[in-house]
Amino acid sequence: MSKNFYITTPIYYPSAKPHMGHAYSSISADVIARFKRLQDYKVFFLTGTDEHGQKIQKAAEKEKKTPLEFCDQISKIFLDLCSILNLSNTDFIRTTEKRHYDTVQHLWNLLQKNDEIYLSKYSGWYSVSDEAFYSQDEIEEVDGIKRNIASGSPVEWVEEESYFFRLSKWTEPLIKFYKENPDFIQPESRRNEVVKFVESGLKDLSISRTSFNWGIPVPNDDKHIMYVWMDALTNYISATNYFSKENNNNFWPADIHIIGKDILRFHAVYWPAFLMAAKINLPKKVFGHGWILSGEEKMSKSKGNILDPIEIINEFGLDELRYYLMKEVIYGQDGKINLENLKNCINSDLANNIGNLSQRIITILLKKFDGRLPAIKNLTQIDKNILETNDSKFVNAMNSLELHNYVRQIVNFASDVNKYVNDEEPWNIKRNSNERIANILYVVIESLKKIFILLHPIMPEKSENFLKCLSIKKEDITLVNFNKKLEIGLEITSPGILFKKIL
Ligand code: MSP
């Protein structure tokens, strides 16, 4: 029986159209989800939109729309982006849905029952753009404007009645939890940041607002709406219907939350503290990836330096973009991307290396063996070395969430196979007997099968197109078939040009 795997992306603010940073988060989660399917896991893959809060309310006012009208419109763009990016998500949650509203109120009641919430007054700094409260030592003044030091977002002074969550009492339990679960926060450098922050002592957290009303009301006190991060984080259990009888609870706790490094504190501190306080199991891992940079800066709407994923997809192709992002940006670190590198990557790795190899070999097979996979006899040690390539280094790279290394290992493997072909010259009938040519073609076709199975999480469509030519159906793209040899005599068709060179 297959095992369950639950993976999430951040839920996006539909305050503006999605950009490459959002696409990156989602594609990377999709790659992991798809790889788990290759390993025969039953995967629940969640994404969605985070629709409450002051930021959205203000954005809607600017467009003279009600917040819900505004969210309906932009959430749809994020939903459509899932198909444009060919995400294999199994759910899309909106925080304006009833299932979410009910879950958030249920969680609040539970926390209140456990005496984790009290009413008081908040006075301090708040950033609408980050939807975050900041302490005095996190603020600096630049050109007369007070800003948060880390994000650079402007902050305003807020004084209002507020409910508080007793976060301070969870300082020690959290530190203990991080110690006992050293892999909870990844990569390692991010873990250290969080541990340092918690060790410096946590203050109770304001979890309701009264100065605007776009949010989920506090049960029995609807003058207050819940702090948008408390609302948003809960989406991860709303989607499994955690509190309902007909739930998908086999999926909670989540195996991994994929997020950007800027929202680590919410996921690795507040979220586990809420869950501990509600006596709910904690997610197994939070992975904070880096930022996609434009030049030296984070790509963001407020900086006006965004690359539109849709424009790039239209010009260069979706799978090409997915491949480039996963290979070029070290997963967990910031990465610069630019069109020149994207073109080089398409030309050298995809068109010249993998594409060319596939075409050359299948052309010979069609000519010499009528497109049928020939039998093998008397393999040399060199043949065997290539043929026996197993999945362990690829599985290891993926298990340690080194998505960039996963892709780089595939390219290295393809380069090894290319070198083998160039050395062995299966086209050279003066040098090679028919039996020898058959052996070489067999070895290369087995290798191409492996390469395209491994590429499936990265480039699903290209992989499916190629594997179709080996009669491998979509549902048969698995690691089991990576290891199972193709049948002798199998009829193989030409995949045509898989990757066009960019001039
Ligand atoms: N709504 C919150 C998340 C709530 S999750 C319970 C939010 N939304 S966001 O739309 O502002 O950002 C969503 C994700 O996109 C974040 O993880 C953020 O790090 C990521 N990115 C936004 N810009 C990015 C880059 N330039 N590069 C990579 N990812 C970045 O935060």
Side-chain angles (χ1 to χ4, degrees):
M1 217 179 68
S2 54
K3 286 181 286 177
N4 283 341
F5 186 82
Y6 180 18
I7 181 166
T8 65
T9 73
I11 49 170
Y12 303 99
Y13 289 128
S15 53
K17 272 182 11 193
H19 63 67
M20 195 61 86
H22 304 132
Y24 177 70
S25 252
S26 291
I27 291 172
S28 71
D30 186 54
V31 167
I32 300 168
R34 287 179 182 273
F35 186 78
K36 286 289 164 187
R37 293 196 188 98
L38 286 190
Q39 290 181 305
D40 198 33
Y41 281 80
K42 183 167 175 227
V43 176
F44 183 36
F45 172 21
L46 177 70
T47 185
T49 42
D50 180 1
E51 306 191 7
H52 291 129
Q54 213 169 355
K55 173 163 155 154
I56 302 291
Q57 184 162 346
K58 284 192 170 175
E61 276 162 14
K62 232 168 130 188
E63 300 231 334
K64 302 198 170 36
K65 294 205 163 95
T66 67
L68 189 59
E69 277 166 0
F70 178 77
C71 288
D72 281 348
Q73 189 187 343
I74 304 198
S75 176
K76 171 83 171 53
I77 301 179
F78 277 91
L79 179 66
D80 290 346
L81 188 70
C82 295
S83 10
I84 295 173
L85 298 178
N86 197 3
L87 302 184
S88 60
N89 57 303
T90 48
D91 199 351
F92 184 96
I93 193 161
R94 299 183 57 185
T95 54
T96 44
E97 286 173 59
K98 183 167 184 314
R99 58 173 171 162
H100 178 68
Y101 182 106
D102 292 348
T103 310
V104 173
Q105 288 212 328
H106 195 123
L107 179 65
W108 181 284
N109 287 334
L110 205 58
L111 292 173
Q112 208 156 34
K113 196 177 99 213
N114 295 352
D115 190 29
E116 298 288 347
I117 292 177
Y118 62 92
L119 187 62
S120 182
K121 191 176 163 200
Y122 178 77
S123 48
W125 297 108
Y126 191 77
S127 157
V128 175
S129 155
D130 300 345
E131 296 284 18
F133 299 96
Y134 291 118
S135 58
Q136 187 61 44
D137 57 358
E138 293 176 293
I139 303 302
E140 63 179 356
E141 189 167 323
V142 186
D143 302 329
I145 300 175
K146 297 238 174 356
R147 293 177 182 278
N148 169 252
I149 299 170
S151 67
S153 306
V155 292
E156 58 192 47
W157 187 256
V158 172
E159 278 190 23
E160 60 190 27
E161 186 184 84
S162 174
Y163 283 94
F164 281 77
F165 170 68
R166 297 187 196 282
L167 181 62
S168 56
K169 88 175 219 206
W170 294 100
T171 305
E172 286 310 318
L174 280 170
I175 293 172
K176 184 165 174 267
F177 176 75
Y178 301 144
K179 275 210 183 99
E180 286 169 0
N181 299 277
D183 293 338
F184 175 63
I185 303 165
Q186 283 192 344
E188 179 88 19
S189 54
R190 305 249 184 280
R191 173 179 188 272
N192 301 339
E193 273 167 44
V194 171
V195 172
K196 236 165 79 196
F197 171 72
V198 176
E199 279 175 348
S200 71
L202 297 171
K203 292 204 201 74
D204 287 352
L205 179 71
S206 165
I207 49 166
S208 76
R209 307 285 314 270
T210 54
S211 50
F212 63 96
N213 60 11
W214 180 236
I216 299 183
V218 165
N220 306 317
D221 192 356
D222 58 13
K223 186 166 91 211
H224 288 257
I225 54 149
M226 286 183 217
Y227 174 37
V228 62
W229 270 102
M230 186 173 185
D231 165 343
L233 289 161
T234 308
N235 91 87
Y236 301 130
I237 59 171
S238 309
T240 66
N241 294 319
Y242 186 83
F243 297 116
S244 125
K245 289 216 170 60
E246 314 87 60
N247 58 32
N248 295 330
N249 275 348
N250 301 338
F251 282 106
W252 188 262
D255 290 273
I256 186 162
H257 293 315
I258 300 296
I259 56 163
K261 64 178 183 179
D262 48 334
I263 55 173
L264 194 61
R265 193 183 289 184
F266 304 99
H267 284 81
V269 182
Y270 301 166
W271 180 227
F274 295 153
L275 292 169
M276 281 180 178
K279 301 187 174 40
I280 296 174
N281 284 337
L282 270 52
K284 293 181 200 152
K285 201 185 287 296
V286 174
F287 187 92
H289 63 67
W291 286 338
I292 299 292
L293 303 177
S294 186
E296 300 300 322
E297 286 195 311
K298 181 186 179 203
M299 193 175 287
S300 76
K301 187 197 157 216
S302 52
K303 294 201 164 80
N305 58 3
I306 59 173
L307 272 184
D308 182 347
I310 298 177
E311 278 172 25
I312 298 205
I313 291 166
N314 288 342
E315 190 169 349
F316 300 100
L318 168 66
D319 279 355
E320 285 81 352
L321 173 67
R322 290 175 57 113
Y323 178 89
Y324 172 65
L325 288 175
M326 293 304 105
K327 181 181 173 220
E328 282 298 301
V329 183
I330 296 181
Y331 202 46
Q333 294 181 21
D334 292 349
K336 288 184 204 168
I337 57 166
N338 63 59
L339 296 183
E340 212 38 51
N341 274 346
L342 169 64
K343 283 185 208 165
N344 288 340
C345 190
I346 295 175
N347 287 344
S348 69
D349 290 0
L350 300 181
N352 288 349
N353 188 348
I354 300 171
N356 200 9
L357 176 67
S358 325
Q359 262 202 315
R360 274 204 295 178
I361 289 303
I362 294 184
T363 307
I364 305 175
L365 184 84
L366 289 170
K367 255 203 226 144
K368 286 223 54 113
F369 296 95
D370 228 8
R372 303 240 167 223
L373 187 67
I376 40 174
K377 228 198 258 164
N378 306 321
L379 292 181
T380 65
Q381 193 51 47
I382 298 171
D383 299 337
K384 286 184 194 157
N385 290 348
I386 299 275
L387 192 61
E388 278 154 24
T389 301
N390 64 30
D391 60 14
S392 62
K393 61 181 173 218
F394 309 102
V395 173
N396 289 343
M398 199 49 101
N399 283 348
S400 43
L401 294 168
E402 293 175 7
L403 307 191
H404 53 288
N405 273 337
Y406 176 79
V407 183
R408 291 170 194 194
Q409 308 262 26
I410 302 175
V411 193
N412 291 344
F413 178 34
S415 301
D416 291 346
V417 181
N418 253 316
K419 180 173 181 309
Y420 164 81
V421 170
N422 290 339
D423 291 348
E424 300 302 319
E425 302 180 311
W427 52 83
N428 189 340
I429 46 172
K430 287 199 188 120
R431 171 181 163 189
N432 289 312
S433 66
N434 260 1
E435 179 186 294
R436 181 72 206 124
I437 295 174
N439 286 351
I440 303 167
L441 294 188
Y442 178 91
V443 168
V444 178
I445 286 169
E446 263 298 329
S447 304
L448 282 170
K449 177 201 75 183
K450 291 179 180 171
I451 289 169
F452 278 95
I453 288 180
L454 293 169
L455 281 175
H456 190 255
I458 313 284
M459 301 198 286
E461 205 180 315
K462 298 287 182 191
S463 157
E464 284 159 27
N465 286 348
F466 179 84
L467 292 169
K468 216 168 42 199
C469 300
L470 305 185
S471 296
I472 298 179
K473 293 196 283 288
K474 200 169 155 180
E475 58 275 21
D476 294 329
I477 304 178
T478 61
L479 287 190
V480 170
N481 281 326
F482 176 104
N483 292 310
K484 195 172 139 205
K485 298 269 184 297
L486 294 165
E487 263 175 47
I488 304 298
L490 171 78
E491 190 177 350
I492 294 173
T493 54
S494 165
I497 296 173
L498 285 166
F499 303 103
K500 277 202 212 95
K501 261 195 154 176
I502 314 276
L503 300 172

